């Protein structure tokens, strides 16, 4: 009798923990979606800036060079953010749903780890 109650209590605790992890996973997925959308918007501005600006000859060479260099760096960072956000939002929940036992925690910690490359702010539980 005690053994059955112990197993039932363990199963309930695991189920409650998985519900919390699911909420955390949904929060992180929504955060990645928002960051990817913002990066796409800024990347669109960078592409528009690079393709539609007219540079005259009276602007110093170093200013032209800095403008194109920083615009290109901005575009590359936006593309990197979009790719990371897309990969994590597709593969993280997929691993959590279809992975082996313990994959929910593995997906959560993997998504939190990748957050450092996409978002400059601290992750959950980091302040």
């Amino acid at each position: 009798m005690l053994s059955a109650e112990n197993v039932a209590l363990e199963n309930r605790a695991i189920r409650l923990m998985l519900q919390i992890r699911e909420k955390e996973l949904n929060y992180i997925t929504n955060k990645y979606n928002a960051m990817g959308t913002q990066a796409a918007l800024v990347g669109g501005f960078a592409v528009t800036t690079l393709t539609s600006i007219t540079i005259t000859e009276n602007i110093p060479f170093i200013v032209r060079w800095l403008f194109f260099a920083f615009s290109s760096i901005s575009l590359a960072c936006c593309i990197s953010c979009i790719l990371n956000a897309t990969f994590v939002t597709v593969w993280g929940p997929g691993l959590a749903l279809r992975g082996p036992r313990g994959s929910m925690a593995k997906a959560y910690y993997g998504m939190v780890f990748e957050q450092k490359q996409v978002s400059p702010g601290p992750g959950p539980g980091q302040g």
Side-chain angles (χ1 to χ4, degrees):
M1 182 69 171
L2 281 176
S3 178
E5 290 177 0
N6 187 23
V7 170
L9 184 62
E10 284 179 3
N11 286 338
R12 183 171 182 264
I14 290 171
R15 192 171 56 250
L16 290 174
M17 184 192 69
L18 287 176
Q19 289 174 351
I20 292 171
R21 285 283 185 220
E22 180 184 10
K23 289 178 183 178
E24 291 174 335
L25 206 67
N26 289 335
Y27 167 75
I28 293 173
T29 302
N30 291 336
K31 185 175 179 179
Y32 275 112
N33 284 332
M35 291 299 295
T37 302
Q38 292 171 12
L41 180 67
V42 172
F45 289 145
V47 167
T48 302
T49 301
L50 282 170
T51 58
S52 67
I53 193 153
T54 307
I55 302 291
T56 59
E57 291 298 323
N58 60 354
I59 298 174
F61 174 76
I62 190 71
V63 174
R64 285 184 280 166
W65 187 86
L66 286 173
F67 171 76
F68 283 114
F70 285 121
S71 295
S72 300
I73 290 170
S74 173
L75 180 60
C77 290
C78 288
I79 290 172
S80 172
C81 180
I82 292 166
L83 289 176
N84 282 340
T86 302
F87 290 151
V88 169
T89 56
V90 170
W91 288 336
L95 173 64
L97 289 173
R98 292 180 295 275
R101 186 178 186 102
S103 61
M104 175 72 88
K106 185 177 179 181
Y108 169 74
Y109 288 118
M111 290 175 78
V112 169
F113 177 75
E114 287 295 321
Q115 197 168 312
K116 296 173 189 167
Q117 294 183 20
V118 176
S119 173
Q126 296 177 351

